[in-house]
Amino acid sequence: MQPDVLGLGADESAAYRALITVPSAGPDEFASLMRVPAENARNLLAGLETRGLAVRSLGDPDRFVAAPPAPTLREPLPRRREELARAEAELGVLDEVYRAAALRPGAPGVVDVLPGAAEIREVFGRLQLGARDEVLSLVKAPIAVISAADNVEQDSAVARGVRYRVVFERAMLDEEPDAYARIVAARAAGEQIRIADAVPVKLLIVDRAQAFMPLHAGGPPGALLIRESGLVRALVALFEFQWRKATPDGGRSLDESDARIVGLLMTGLTDEAVAAHLGTSLRTVQRRVRHLMEVTGGRTRMQLGFHVARLGWLD
């Protein structure tokens, strides 16, 4: 059983607290007080005496009196503070080693080529686990190696306070069945997400010091790992440009595609008719409508049209 913050076990702590409540106690009285067998009571009293938390009564050596806690329990605190300081220092060293491993130091250049899906997954996860402050991401279709559902490291990073800004290419919303639901959940967790008609590359930037760029040219899986350099700064500038161009999820405007869908729904067309009219799939129309209903709070197609018009999202 783990000791408490003062280093006492649960039984010792309970025994000491009980002894404090009485002027003195013999083994039999203490057994009754603690509601334990007499042998257990004697062992507890002996343990408190050994720790300096109980002393024998001057008038009756068979009885025990609680000793002041501070002299005994305060004595180890400086040593424990020193141990904690050493642990913090060791953690800092391990953190630097972890980040250095993610950067793969020792290579002659600032760019490493990562071949193979397994290595891509490993480095992609390690970079996020090592993130301290901020992750910037451009998410482009199609899914190459890692889906949103597989990216558990992102959830871990967000939970410990790492800020995420993500630009999703609209085609990605058709890649994964629960894309809209994931966006809503991610925003609720604190991520900032925007939607763009297209983004130029897949990209992940960690703490503005490391960049990870998956490659997709119809060949085997591959990626670039880019260390702190002018190239990373250029990729940060690329991300910021795409971020400014993208539409905030739940912002005060609709892109042309969503505006046409809502406009057609407001004329009374069914989802099937809207899909046929636009030359797109029924699934795409339903997903976009479902997303807009989540954003606006509308529960029916009619309510969606009302909220969109009220918010001034349509001309």
Side-chain angles (χ1 to χ4, degrees):
M1 184 176 295
Q2 292 290 333
D4 64 13
V5 293
L6 294 176
L8 296 177
D11 291 342
E12 289 177 316
S13 179
Y16 181 66
R17 291 173 186 273
L19 189 59
I20 290 174
T21 65
V22 294
S24 65
D28 292 339
E29 295 173 64
F30 194 67
S32 177
L33 182 65
M34 290 291 296
R35 298 181 180 178
V36 297
E39 183 65 25
N40 289 9
R42 282 190 290 272
N43 290 337
L44 287 171
L45 288 170
L48 292 179
E49 183 180 23
T50 300
R51 279 186 167 272
L53 294 174
V55 295
R56 293 180 182 269
S57 172
L58 294 177
D60 184 351
D62 291 331
R63 300 182 67 82
F64 290 81
V65 178
T72 298
L73 298 181
R74 184 176 286 127
E75 181 181 354
L77 293 183
R79 175 177 51 80
R80 293 172 65 186
R81 280 194 290 265
E82 182 180 346
E83 291 173 351
L84 180 60
R86 288 202 302 268
E88 289 281 1
E90 180 65 17
L91 180 60
V93 171
L94 290 176
D95 186 48
E96 291 302 324
V97 170
Y98 184 93
R99 289 170 62 82
L103 283 169
R104 297 171 61 87
V110 297
V111 178
D112 278 345
V113 178
L114 307 175
E119 189 169 5
I120 289 173
R121 289 192 189 95
E122 179 187 352
V123 174
F124 184 75
R126 283 167 50 192
L127 286 172
Q128 294 180 93
L129 289 175
R132 291 177 174 174
D133 301 311
E134 181 184 52
V135 173
L136 312 174
S137 179
L138 300 179
V139 182
K140 180 178 178 63
I143 297 171
V145 176
I146 305 160
S147 68
D150 294 331
N151 188 12
V152 295
E153 292 84 2
Q154 178 171 333
D155 297 335
S156 173
V158 171
R160 69 173 188 274
V162 177
R163 298 185 302 276
Y164 269 72
R165 283 196 288 153
V166 183
V167 179
F168 272 93
E169 185 175 76
R170 185 171 297 280
M172 280 297 298
L173 304 180
D174 295 326
E175 285 279 314
E176 298 185 329
D178 57 351
Y180 283 129
R182 288 187 176 278
I183 287 176
V184 171
R187 284 178 57 84
E191 295 182 43
Q192 299 180 56
I193 296 176
R194 294 188 176 186
I195 308 297
D197 287 335
V199 296
V201 293
K202 300 175 187 286
L203 181 63
L204 185 85
I205 302 172
V206 176
D207 294 332
R208 301 183 178 237
Q210 310 163 62
F212 178 85
M213 185 184 299
L215 304 175
H216 182 73
L224 300 179
L225 177 61
I226 305 164
R227 301 184 194 86
E228 212 164 0
S229 63
L231 181 53
V232 172
R233 292 191 291 273
L235 292 173
V236 170
L238 172 65
F239 172 86
E240 296 293 356
F241 177 73
Q242 296 297 321
W243 179 260
R244 289 191 296 271
K245 284 175 51 182
T247 301
D249 186 38
R252 296 187 175 275
S253 62
L254 293 181
D255 66 13
E256 181 180 355
S257 178
D258 283 344
R260 292 178 67 190
I261 289 175
V262 174
L264 290 170
L265 287 174
M266 292 175 67
T267 67
L269 294 181
T270 64
D271 292 353
E272 291 84 353
V274 170
H277 186 84
L278 297 178
T280 188
S281 69
L282 173 62
R283 186 182 67 171
T284 295
V285 170
Q286 290 176 333
R287 285 181 179 169
R288 292 184 180 178
V289 169
R290 184 165 61 249
H291 170 63
L292 290 171
M293 292 173 71
E294 289 172 346
V295 169
T296 62
R299 296 188 178 183
T300 66
R301 278 14 180 207
M302 291 296 294
Q303 289 181 3
L304 171 61
F306 170 77
H307 288 310
V308 166
R310 179 178 60 82
L311 292 169
W313 289 1
L314 291 175
D315 293 336

